[in-house]
Amino acid sequence: MSAPAPARPAAPSYAAVLRVPHARRTFAAALTGRFSNGVIPLAVLLSVNRVTGSYAVSGAVMSLFGGAAVFLMPVRASLVDRYGARRALPPMAALYAVLLCVLAALVWRPGVPAPLIGAAAALAGACVPPLGPVMRAVWSALVADRHLQRRAYSLDGVAEELLFVSGPVLVGVLITWAPPASGILLGALLVLGGTAAFVTSPAVTGLRTGSRTGAGAGRRATSPRTRSGGVPGLLVPVVVAAGAGLALSGAELLVAAYAEQGSYGTAVVPWVLGALSVGSALGGLVNGAVDWRLSARARLAGFTAGLGLMIAAAGLAPGLWTLTAAMVLTGVFIAPTLTTAYLLADETAPEDARTRAGAWVNMAVNGGYSSGSLIAGALIGRLPLPLCFALAGAASLAATTVAVGTRRGGVSVSGAGVPEAGVPGETRASDALTGDAGASGVPAVR
């Protein structure tokens, strides 16, 4: 009689993540600063639209804000890798907060020229502190077990989505008694206070982003070849993240246009977008709890396809409640898509550039987001809204083909011009992407 197969150990819980020393304090501080990301975009969008009366101008300003944040993200991340979070983050946060106050003053009342508003938005976007990538580096340093680390990344993604639920809702409350620009001021306070609390945490004061102390320590040695090239394997997560950001940004602007055309009023927009983030939080919880048998690449393709299909279907909604339900279902795919993209990027990261690995995906999401705002703003009024929704969904579906068709390894995202920590003017790369989120370590979230 054969012996029974040994039972698989139970997967660690989300509560176990928060029991890690210093995890609760550090995570709470990071989320406070990142809460500004849930407040500022909608506040800027509504503020600019209120003072200019133009979706095209609103989309252009959002594009400038996001574009500056996107294209300088690797540079800001490299500063963290080089000088450490305690030295690099506070100046970024302080300058960002000051520029947000300037932007709020410009859009408080009508009459300010649109180019001046756009310039202030671009300058503010150039200083956004990379709290998300740094927090993910902290998670890897705090958590050694790969199963627990996967839970940590999922918890991080879900918590961030909850911020994107409460952020638009809070903006919706604010605009009932104050101009939308008040949301920009609130965002400035959040990022300043959250960053100050974050950098004083013991987990951050002892962090060295240039080295891995968690499960992946020693997993990927930097070779002479990687010191001069790009980062192999990052193409898939970066392209998918860009497609998802493009689709989501277009969908958010289209929700505002849907509310206006349906005479629902702009006050309902934050609530509909909050439903989007509710769905994302639910999807993230399920994604983190399931012990997946599919490879990360296969999961990424499925999540991205689902996201695109649901955005396209949302354009057929006959009324506001149906649109809200469609946004919840759309959101179910957001956190799993972005979580898996970050995890794959983390798999490829060299040991001394972990902050930058997440920054490339973050840059792609925001790059797609800023482009989506610009494109959707130009299309609204020229094409029927259902067709605009379909085109937004098509951006995510197009990214699915990259996740399905790109070969493993051998594909790089160039790091040219992004200084390496401790090696000015150089970039480093790691071994090729395995394509399996759990095979050789912990893969990585927004």
Side-chain angles (χ1 to χ4, degrees), residues 145-151 153-154 212 215-216 219-220 237 287-288 290-301 303 336-348 408 432-445:
D145 178 76
R146 69 186 183 92
H147 296 293
L148 189 60
Q149 200 176 49
R150 186 179 299 137
R151 287 289 191 275
Y153 279 120
S154 294
R212 285 178 180 259
R219 189 170 76 231
R220 297 186 294 272
N287 178 55
V290 171
D291 188 10
W292 294 99
R293 294 295 188 270
L294 291 173
S295 71
R297 185 184 292 263
R299 298 199 311 271
L300 188 59
F303 294 147
T337 297
L338 297 178
T339 298
T340 308
Y342 275 113
L343 289 170
L344 289 178
D346 188 67
E347 280 286 299
T348 70
R408 296 181 182 181
L433 178 66
T434 65
D436 187 343
S440 61
V442 188
V445 151

Coordinates of all heavy atoms in Angstrom, one line a residue, residues 145-151 153-154 212 215-216 219-220 237 287-288 290-301 303 336-348 408 432-445:
D145 N 10.1 34.8 2.0 CA 9.3 33.7 1.4 C 8.6 34.1 0.1 O 7.9 35.1 0.1 CB 8.3 33.2 2.4 CG 7.5 32.0 1.9 OD1 8.0 30.9 1.8 OD2 6.3 32.3 1.5
R146 N 8.8 33.3 -0.9 CA 8.2 33.7 -2.2 C 6.7 33.7 -2.3 O 6.1 34.5 -2.9 CB 8.8 32.8 -3.4 CG 8.3 31.4 -3.4 CD 9.1 30.7 -4.5 NE 8.7 29.3 -4.6 CZ 7.7 28.9 -5.4 NH1 7.1 29.7 -6.2 NH2 7.4 27.6 -5.5
H147 N 6.1 32.8 -1.5 CA 4.6 32.8 -1.5 C 4.1 34.0 -0.7 O 3.1 34.6 -1.1 CB 4.1 31.5 -0.8 CG 4.4 30.2 -1.6 ND1 3.9 30.0 -2.8 CD2 5.3 29.2 -1.3 CE1 4.4 28.8 -3.3 NE2 5.2 28.3 -2.3
L148 N 4.7 34.3 0.4 CA 4.3 35.5 1.2 C 4.6 36.7 0.4 O 3.9 37.7 0.4 CB 5.1 35.5 2.5 CG 4.7 36.5 3.5 CD1 3.2 36.3 3.9 CD2 5.5 36.5 4.7
Q149 N 5.7 36.7 -0.4 CA 6.0 37.9 -1.2 C 5.0 38.2 -2.3 O 4.6 39.3 -2.6 CB 7.4 37.7 -1.8 CG 8.1 39.0 -2.3 CD 9.5 38.8 -2.8 OE1 9.7 37.9 -3.6 NE2 10.4 39.6 -2.3
R150 N 4.5 37.1 -2.9 CA 3.4 37.2 -3.9 C 2.2 37.8 -3.2 O 1.5 38.7 -3.8 CB 3.1 35.8 -4.5 CG 2.1 35.9 -5.7 CD 1.9 34.6 -6.3 NE 3.1 34.0 -6.8 CZ 3.5 32.8 -6.6 NH1 2.8 31.9 -5.9 NH2 4.7 32.3 -7.1
R151 N 1.9 37.4 -2.0 CA 0.7 38.0 -1.3 C 1.0 39.5 -1.0 O 0.1 40.3 -1.1 CB 0.5 37.3 0.0 CG -0.1 35.9 -0.1 CD -1.5 35.9 -0.5 NE -2.2 34.6 -0.3 CZ -2.1 33.7 -1.2 NH1 -1.5 33.9 -2.4 NH2 -2.7 32.5 -1.1
Y153 N 2.8 41.6 -2.8 CA 2.6 42.4 -4.0 C 1.1 42.5 -4.4 O 0.6 43.5 -4.8 CB 3.3 41.7 -5.2 CG 4.8 42.0 -5.2 CD1 5.7 41.0 -5.2 CD2 5.2 43.3 -5.4 CE1 7.1 41.3 -5.2 CE2 6.6 43.6 -5.4 CZ 7.5 42.6 -5.3 OH 8.8 42.9 -5.4
S154 N 0.3 41.4 -4.2 CA -1.1 41.5 -4.4 C -1.8 42.4 -3.5 O -2.7 43.2 -3.9 CB -1.7 40.1 -4.3 OG -1.2 39.2 -5.3
R212 N 19.5 42.9 -3.4 CA 18.4 42.1 -3.0 C 18.7 41.4 -1.7 O 19.7 40.7 -1.6 CB 18.0 41.1 -4.0 CG 17.3 41.7 -5.2 CD 17.0 40.6 -6.2 NE 16.4 41.2 -7.3 CZ 15.1 41.1 -7.6 NH1 14.3 40.5 -6.7 NH2 14.5 41.7 -8.6
A215 N 14.0 36.9 -1.3 CA 14.1 35.6 -1.8 C 14.9 35.5 -3.1 O 15.5 34.5 -3.4 CB 12.7 35.0 -2.1
G216 N 15.0 36.6 -3.8 CA 15.8 36.6 -5.0 C 17.2 37.0 -4.9 O 17.9 37.2 -5.9
R219 N 20.2 35.7 -7.1 CA 19.6 35.0 -8.2 C 20.1 35.4 -9.5 O 20.3 34.6 -10.4 CB 18.1 35.1 -8.1 CG 17.3 34.2 -9.0 CD 15.8 34.3 -8.7 NE 15.2 35.5 -9.3 CZ 14.4 36.3 -8.5 NH1 14.2 36.0 -7.3 NH2 13.9 37.3 -9.1
R220 N 20.5 36.7 -9.7 CA 20.9 37.2 -11.0 C 22.1 38.0 -10.8 O 22.0 39.2 -10.4 CB 19.7 38.0 -11.6 CG 18.5 37.2 -11.8 CD 17.4 38.0 -12.6 NE 16.9 39.1 -11.8 CZ 15.9 39.0 -11.0 NH1 15.3 37.9 -10.8 NH2 15.5 40.1 -10.3
P237 N 5.9 42.8 -20.4 CA 5.2 43.6 -19.3 C 5.1 45.1 -19.6 O 4.1 45.7 -19.3 CB 6.1 43.3 -18.0 CG 7.4 42.9 -18.5 CD 7.1 42.2 -19.8
N287 N -7.0 37.3 -7.5 CA -5.8 37.0 -8.2 C -4.7 36.6 -7.2 O -4.0 35.6 -7.4 CB -5.3 38.1 -9.0 CG -4.0 37.9 -9.7 OD1 -3.9 36.9 -10.5 ND2 -3.1 38.7 -9.6
G288 N -4.6 37.3 -6.1 CA -3.6 37.0 -5.1 C -3.9 35.7 -4.3 O -3.0 35.1 -3.8
V290 N -5.6 33.0 -5.5 CA -5.6 31.8 -6.3 C -4.2 31.2 -6.5 O -3.3 32.0 -6.8 CB -6.3 32.0 -7.7 CG1 -6.1 30.9 -8.6 CG2 -7.8 32.4 -7.5
D291 N -4.1 29.9 -6.4 CA -2.8 29.3 -6.6 C -2.8 28.9 -8.1 O -3.2 27.8 -8.5 CB -2.6 28.0 -5.8 CG -1.2 27.4 -5.9 OD1 -0.4 28.0 -6.5 OD2 -1.1 26.3 -5.4
W292 N -2.3 29.8 -9.0 CA -2.4 29.6 -10.4 C -1.5 28.5 -10.9 O -0.4 28.4 -10.5 CB -2.1 30.9 -11.1 CG -3.0 32.1 -10.9 CD1 -2.9 33.1 -10.0 CD2 -4.3 32.3 -11.5 NE1 -3.9 33.9 -10.0 CE2 -4.8 33.5 -10.9 CE3 -5.0 31.6 -12.5 CZ2 -6.0 34.0 -11.3 CZ3 -6.2 32.1 -12.9 CH2 -6.7 33.3 -12.3
R293 N -2.1 27.7 -11.9 CA -1.3 26.8 -12.6 C -0.8 27.3 -13.9 O 0.2 26.8 -14.5 CB -2.1 25.5 -12.8 CG -2.5 24.7 -11.6 CD -1.3 24.2 -10.9 NE -1.6 23.3 -9.8 CZ -1.8 23.7 -8.5 NH1 -1.7 25.0 -8.3 NH2 -2.1 22.9 -7.6
L294 N -1.4 28.3 -14.5 CA -1.0 28.9 -15.7 C 0.2 29.7 -15.5 O 0.5 30.3 -14.4 CB -2.1 29.8 -16.3 CG -3.4 29.1 -16.8 CD1 -4.4 30.2 -17.1 CD2 -3.1 28.3 -18.0
S295 N 1.1 29.8 -16.5 CA 2.2 30.7 -16.4 C 1.8 32.1 -16.3 O 0.7 32.5 -16.7 CB 3.1 30.5 -17.7 OG 2.5 31.0 -18.8
A296 N 2.7 32.9 -15.8 CA 2.4 34.4 -15.7 C 2.2 35.0 -17.1 O 1.3 35.9 -17.2 CB 3.6 35.1 -15.0
R297 N 2.9 34.6 -18.1 CA 2.7 35.1 -19.4 C 1.3 34.8 -19.9 O 0.6 35.7 -20.5 CB 3.7 34.6 -20.4 CG 3.6 35.1 -21.8 CD 4.7 34.5 -22.7 NE 6.0 34.8 -22.3 CZ 6.7 35.7 -22.9 NH1 6.2 36.4 -23.9 NH2 8.0 36.0 -22.5
A298 N 0.8 33.6 -19.7 CA -0.6 33.2 -20.1 C -1.6 33.9 -19.4 O -2.6 34.4 -19.9 CB -0.7 31.7 -20.0
R299 N -1.4 34.1 -18.1 CA -2.3 34.9 -17.2 C -2.4 36.3 -17.7 O -3.5 36.9 -17.8 CB -1.9 34.8 -15.8 CG -1.9 33.5 -15.2 CD -2.0 33.5 -13.6 NE -1.1 34.4 -13.0 CZ 0.2 34.1 -12.7 NH1 0.6 32.8 -12.9 NH2 1.0 34.9 -12.1
L300 N -1.2 36.9 -18.0 CA -1.2 38.3 -18.5 C -2.0 38.5 -19.7 O -2.7 39.4 -19.9 CB 0.3 38.7 -18.7 CG 0.5 40.2 -18.9 CD1 0.0 41.0 -17.8 CD2 2.0 40.4 -19.2
A301 N -1.8 37.5 -20.7 CA -2.6 37.6 -21.9 C -4.1 37.6 -21.7 O -4.9 38.3 -22.3 CB -2.1 36.5 -22.9
F303 N -5.8 38.2 -18.8 CA -6.3 39.4 -18.1 C -6.4 40.6 -19.1 O -7.3 41.4 -19.0 CB -5.3 39.8 -17.0 CG -5.3 38.7 -15.9 CD1 -4.1 38.5 -15.2 CD2 -6.4 38.0 -15.5 CE1 -4.1 37.6 -14.2 CE2 -6.4 37.1 -14.5 CZ -5.2 36.8 -13.8
P336 N -5.2 42.5 -11.6 CA -4.5 41.3 -12.0 C -3.6 41.6 -13.2 O -2.4 41.0 -13.3 CB -5.6 40.3 -12.4 CG -6.8 40.7 -11.6 CD -6.7 42.2 -11.5
T337 N -4.0 42.4 -14.2 CA -3.1 42.7 -15.3 C -1.9 43.4 -14.9 O -0.8 43.0 -15.2 CB -3.9 43.6 -16.3 OG1 -5.0 42.9 -16.8 CG2 -3.0 44.0 -17.5
L338 N -2.0 44.5 -14.1 CA -0.9 45.3 -13.7 C 0.0 44.5 -12.7 O 1.2 44.6 -12.7 CB -1.3 46.6 -13.1 CG -2.1 47.5 -14.1 CD1 -2.6 48.8 -13.4 CD2 -1.2 47.8 -15.3
T339 N -0.6 43.8 -11.8 CA 0.2 43.0 -10.8 C 1.1 42.0 -11.6 O 2.3 41.9 -11.3 CB -0.7 42.2 -9.9 OG1 -1.5 43.1 -9.1 CG2 0.1 41.3 -8.9
T340 N 0.5 41.3 -12.5 CA 1.3 40.3 -13.3 C 2.4 41.0 -14.1 O 3.5 40.5 -14.2 CB 0.4 39.5 -14.2 OG1 -0.7 38.9 -13.4 CG2 1.1 38.3 -14.8
A341 N 2.1 42.1 -14.7 CA 3.1 42.9 -15.4 C 4.3 43.3 -14.5 O 5.4 43.1 -14.9 CB 2.5 44.1 -16.1
Y342 N 4.0 43.8 -13.3 CA 5.1 44.1 -12.4 C 5.9 42.9 -12.0 O 7.1 43.0 -11.8 CB 4.5 44.8 -11.2 CG 4.3 46.3 -11.4 CD1 3.0 46.8 -11.4 CD2 5.3 47.2 -11.5 CE1 2.7 48.2 -11.6 CE2 5.1 48.5 -11.7 CZ 3.8 49.0 -11.7 OH 3.6 50.4 -11.9
L343 N 5.2 41.8 -11.7 CA 5.9 40.6 -11.3 C 6.8 40.1 -12.4 O 8.0 39.7 -12.1 CB 4.9 39.5 -11.0 CG 4.1 39.7 -9.7 CD1 2.9 38.7 -9.6 CD2 5.0 39.7 -8.5
L344 N 6.4 40.1 -13.6 CA 7.3 39.7 -14.7 C 8.5 40.7 -14.8 O 9.6 40.2 -15.1 CB 6.5 39.6 -16.0 CG 5.5 38.5 -16.2 CD1 4.8 38.6 -17.5 CD2 6.2 37.2 -16.0
A345 N 8.2 41.9 -14.7 CA 9.3 42.9 -14.8 C 10.3 42.6 -13.6 O 11.6 42.7 -13.8 CB 8.8 44.3 -14.7
D346 N 9.8 42.3 -12.4 CA 10.7 42.1 -11.3 C 11.6 40.8 -11.6 O 12.7 40.8 -11.1 CB 9.9 41.9 -10.1 CG 10.7 41.8 -8.8 OD1 11.3 42.8 -8.4 OD2 10.8 40.7 -8.2
E347 N 11.0 39.9 -12.3 CA 11.8 38.7 -12.6 C 13.1 39.0 -13.4 O 14.1 38.3 -13.3 CB 10.9 37.7 -13.4 CG 10.0 36.8 -12.6 CD 10.7 35.8 -11.8 OE1 11.4 34.9 -12.5 OE2 10.7 35.8 -10.6
T348 N 13.0 40.0 -14.2 CA 14.1 40.4 -15.1 C 15.1 41.4 -14.5 O 16.1 41.7 -15.1 CB 13.6 41.0 -16.4 OG1 13.0 42.3 -16.2 CG2 12.5 40.1 -17.1
R408 N 10.1 34.3 -25.6 CA 10.7 34.5 -24.3 C 12.2 34.9 -24.5 O 12.9 34.2 -25.2 CB 10.7 33.2 -23.4 CG 9.3 32.8 -23.1 CD 9.3 31.6 -22.2 NE 8.0 31.1 -21.9 CZ 7.7 30.0 -21.1 NH1 8.7 29.3 -20.6 NH2 6.5 29.7 -20.9
A432 N 17.2 36.2 -19.1 CA 15.9 36.3 -19.9 C 14.7 36.0 -19.0 O 14.8 35.2 -18.0 CB 16.0 35.3 -21.1
L433 N 13.6 36.5 -19.4 CA 12.4 36.2 -18.7 C 12.0 34.8 -18.7 O 12.0 34.1 -19.8 CB 11.3 37.1 -19.3 CG 9.9 36.9 -18.8 CD1 9.8 37.5 -17.3 CD2 8.9 37.7 -19.7
T434 N 11.6 34.2 -17.6 CA 11.3 32.8 -17.6 C 9.8 32.6 -18.1 O 9.5 31.5 -18.6 CB 11.3 32.3 -16.1 OG1 10.3 32.9 -15.3 CG2 12.7 32.5 -15.5
G435 N 9.0 33.6 -17.9 CA 7.6 33.4 -18.3 C 6.7 32.7 -17.3 O 5.5 32.6 -17.4
D436 N 7.3 32.2 -16.1 CA 6.5 31.6 -15.1 C 6.6 32.4 -13.8 O 7.7 32.5 -13.3 CB 7.0 30.1 -14.9 CG 6.1 29.4 -13.9 OD1 5.3 30.0 -13.2 OD2 6.2 28.1 -13.9
A437 N 5.5 32.9 -13.3 CA 5.6 33.8 -12.2 C 6.1 33.2 -10.9 O 6.7 33.8 -10.1 CB 4.2 34.4 -11.9
G438 N 6.0 31.9 -10.8 CA 6.4 31.3 -9.5 C 7.5 30.3 -9.7 O 7.8 29.6 -8.7
A439 N 8.1 30.2 -10.8 CA 9.1 29.1 -11.0 C 10.4 29.3 -10.4 O 11.0 28.5 -9.7 CB 9.3 28.9 -12.5
S440 N 10.9 30.5 -10.5 CA 12.3 30.8 -10.0 C 12.3 31.9 -8.9 O 13.4 32.4 -8.6 CB 13.2 31.1 -11.1 OG 12.7 32.2 -11.8
G441 N 11.2 32.3 -8.4 CA 11.2 33.3 -7.4 C 9.9 34.1 -7.5 O 8.9 33.6 -7.9
V442 N 10.0 35.2 -7.0 CA 8.7 36.0 -7.0 C 8.7 37.0 -8.1 O 9.6 37.8 -8.2 CB 8.6 36.7 -5.6 CG1 7.3 37.4 -5.5 CG2 8.9 35.8 -4.5
P443 N 7.8 36.8 -9.0 CA 7.7 37.7 -10.0 C 7.2 39.1 -9.5 O 7.4 39.3 -8.3 CB 6.6 37.2 -10.9 CG 6.2 35.9 -10.3 CD 6.8 35.7 -9.0
A444 N 6.4 40.2 -9.6 CA 6.0 41.4 -8.9 C 4.7 42.0 -9.0 O 4.2 42.5 -9.5 CB 6.6 42.7 -9.4
V445 N 3.5 45.5 -8.8 CA 2.2 46.0 -9.1 C 2.2 47.4 -9.2 O 3.2 48.0 -8.7 CB 1.4 45.5 -8.0 CG1 0.2 46.0 -7.4 CG2 1.0 44.4 -8.7

